[in-house]
Amino acid sequence: MSGYEILNYLSLLTIGISGLSILAGLFFIKAGRRELHKKSMINASVFALIFVALYVIKNLLFPASKYEGPYRGLFLFVLWSHTALAIINFPLAVTTLRYALKGTFDRHRKIAPITAGVWLYVAFTGWLIYFFMQWLNR
C-alpha cells in the first residue's frame, strides 16, 4: 500500500469518525445526556482537526488528481459545495464550541443545529468525493 493510499484511508476514517461523533452527539443531546453530548462533540472536533492535518500533508506530498469520469457536472457541484461549506464550517464549529465551553447555551443552541448540518454534509460529501475519484474516475 502506497503512502497516498494510507493517507486516503486515514482521511476517510477520521472524517467518518468525526461525522459519526456528530450524529452521536445529536442523539445524546436529544436524550438529555449532556456529558456524553459534550464528549461526542469534542471527539468530532479532534478527529476533524486530524483530518485537516492529513489533508494538508497529502496535498503537500502528492499532486492533486483530476476527475475525468462520467457525471462531471455532479462531481463539480459536490466538490464545490463541499469545499465552500468546509471553509464556512470551521468558524461555525469554533464559535459553537466556544459558546458551549463558555456556558452561553442560549447562543450555542441557536447556532449548533446549523453547524451540525453543515458538518454532516461536509463529512458525507467528503466520502462521496472519494467515491467519485476512486470508483468513477476512469
Side-chain angles (χ1 to χ4, degrees):
M1 186 179 294
S2 71
Y4 181 81
E5 291 171 325
I6 291 169
L7 288 172
N8 260 344
Y9 291 132
L10 289 173
S11 294
L12 285 170
L13 181 66
T14 56
I15 203 60
I17 291 171
S18 179
L20 291 173
S21 295
I22 291 292
L23 288 173
L26 292 172
F27 171 79
F28 289 135
I29 200 62
K30 296 281 186 199
R33 307 203 49 201
R34 286 187 180 171
E35 195 57 36
L36 287 174
H37 168 76
K38 179 180 176 181
K39 288 178 182 180
S40 294
M41 296 314 199
I42 290 171
N43 191 60
S45 300
V46 168
F47 276 95
L49 289 174
I50 294 169
F51 167 80
V52 170
L54 291 169
Y55 179 82
V56 169
I57 290 167
K58 183 175 78 171
N59 283 290
L60 288 173
L61 296 177
F62 302 100
S65 300
K66 185 176 179 182
Y67 179 74
E68 296 178 2
Y71 316 110
R72 183 162 173 75
L74 178 60
F75 172 77
L76 290 174
F77 172 78
V78 170
L79 178 64
W80 292 341
S81 63
H82 169 86
T83 303
L85 289 174
I87 292 166
I88 291 168
N89 195 55
F90 181 76
L92 273 175
V94 169
T95 302
T96 304
L97 284 168
R98 193 174 116 250
Y99 286 153
L101 295 173
K102 286 178 68 177
T104 53
F105 295 112
D106 55 327
R107 288 182 166 181
H108 176 78
R109 278 187 217 99
K110 287 180 184 175
I111 194 172
I114 298 165
T115 306
V118 171
W119 198 316
L120 289 171
Y121 180 84
V122 169
F124 175 75
T125 55
W127 275 70
L128 194 55
I129 290 165
Y130 175 80
F131 175 78
F132 270 98
M133 294 299 292
Q134 190 67 30
W135 302 106
L136 296 176
N137 196 17
R138 312 248 179 224

